[in-house]
């Protein structure tokens, strides 16, 4: 089933990375997830946390790796110190902003060079203007974000 989400940026945010996502499918207006960021580019402080809007439980944490050739974020399920389920890497050379999402346990022998597994998802577009597309490993569109939807 297709679902439509609206991103509501918080009016007051000290990091500029705080927003809420609301499910607006079929005229609904149900809170879905709260995103709270701390993209401060400081060691140990560059994290984005996603919370279930109903329960308040922390669902995911994106933690920026300090040493990487390109911006790279580890993905943890249910908070820091929990299970690492994947990572996101920004492509070094690309015509548009492009991020590859890799899942743990999908083959490969590490996170560098030819030994990486193929990406499970690729996100491309213009992130500043909030106009990007997420495709799965079969190049099928699984999500689309646009400021003017």
């Amino acid at each position: 089933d297709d679902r439509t989400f609206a991103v509501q940026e918080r009016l007051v945010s000290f990091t500029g990375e705080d927003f809420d996502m609301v499910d607006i499918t079929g005229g609904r207006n149900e809170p879905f997830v709260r995103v709270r960021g701390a993209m401060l580019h400081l060691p140990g402080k560059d994290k984005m946390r996603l919370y279930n809007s109903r329960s308040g439980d922390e669902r995911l944490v994106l933690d920026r790796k300090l040493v990487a050739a390109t911006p790279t974020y580890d993905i943890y399920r249910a908070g820091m110190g929990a299970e690492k389920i994947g990572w996101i890497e920004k492509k070094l050379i690309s015509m548009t902003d492009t991020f590859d999402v890799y899942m743990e346990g999908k083959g490969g022998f590490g996170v560098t060079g030819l030994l990486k597994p193929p990406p499970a998802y690729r996100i491309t577009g213009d992130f500043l203007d909030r106009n990007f597309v997420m495709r799965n490993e079969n190049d099928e569109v699984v999500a689309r974000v646009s400021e003017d939807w």
Side-chain angles (χ1 to χ4, degrees), residues 17 27 37 46 61-63 73 76 81 88 96 111 119 122 126 144:
E17 299 291 339
D46 216 1
V61 173
L62 302 180
D63 183 25
Y73 300 85
Y76 294 92
I88 301 171
T96 63
V111 296
R122 176 161 286 156
D126 185 340
R144 190 179 309 271

Side-chain angles (χ1 to χ4, degrees), residues 65-130:
K65 294 182 72 142
L66 296 178
V67 179
T70 63
T72 301
Y73 300 85
D74 288 334
I75 306 169
Y76 294 92
R77 181 189 327 252
M80 290 301 297
E83 175 189 13
K84 180 180 172 189
I85 60 171
W87 70 95
I88 301 171
E89 286 182 7
K90 183 173 184 176
K91 288 185 69 80
L92 187 58
I93 300 172
S94 180
M95 296 299 285
T96 63
D97 283 335
T98 301
F99 290 85
D100 287 336
V101 180
Y102 298 91
M103 305 308 294
E104 288 288 317
K106 293 289 185 178
F109 295 102
V111 296
T112 59
L114 300 174
L115 302 178
K116 279 192 287 195
Y121 299 97
R122 176 161 286 156
I123 307 167
T124 59
D126 185 340
F127 289 85
L128 290 177
D129 287 335
R130 297 197 180 26

Side-chain angles (χ1 to χ4, degrees), residues 8-148:
Q8 298 176 336
E9 293 187 33
R10 300 196 36 107
L11 293 175
V12 178
S13 170
F14 294 107
T15 66
E17 299 291 339
D18 297 337
F19 54 92
D20 298 329
M21 293 182 63
V22 178
D23 185 350
I24 60 170
T25 306
R28 285 186 259 188
N29 189 20
E30 297 176 10
F32 182 72
V33 69
R34 292 180 295 124
V35 180
R36 301 298 178 259
M39 297 301 169
L40 303 174
H41 306 292
L42 299 171
K45 302 294 183 192
D46 216 1
K47 296 177 182 18
M48 185 173 283
R49 298 173 186 278
L50 284 74
Y51 299 90
N52 180 299
S53 289
R54 292 180 189 196
S55 68
D57 294 340
E58 188 174 72
R59 305 306 296 168
L60 289 175
V61 173
L62 302 180
D63 183 25
R64 185 169 180 162
K65 294 182 72 142
L66 296 178
V67 179
T70 63
T72 301
Y73 300 85
D74 288 334
I75 306 169
Y76 294 92
R77 181 189 327 252
M80 290 301 297
E83 175 189 13
K84 180 180 172 189
I85 60 171
W87 70 95
I88 301 171
E89 286 182 7
K90 183 173 184 176
K91 288 185 69 80
L92 187 58
I93 300 172
S94 180
M95 296 299 285
T96 63
D97 283 335
T98 301
F99 290 85
D100 287 336
V101 180
Y102 298 91
M103 305 308 294
E104 288 288 317
K106 293 289 185 178
F109 295 102
V111 296
T112 59
L114 300 174
L115 302 178
K116 279 192 287 195
Y121 299 97
R122 176 161 286 156
I123 307 167
T124 59
D126 185 340
F127 289 85
L128 290 177
D129 287 335
R130 297 197 180 26
N131 186 16
F132 52 93
V133 173
M134 182 178 198
R135 298 178 184 275
N136 64 15
E137 58 195 1
N138 299 321
D139 203 35
E140 301 164 328
V141 174
V142 296
R144 190 179 309 271
V145 175
S146 174
E147 196 166 38
D148 300 322

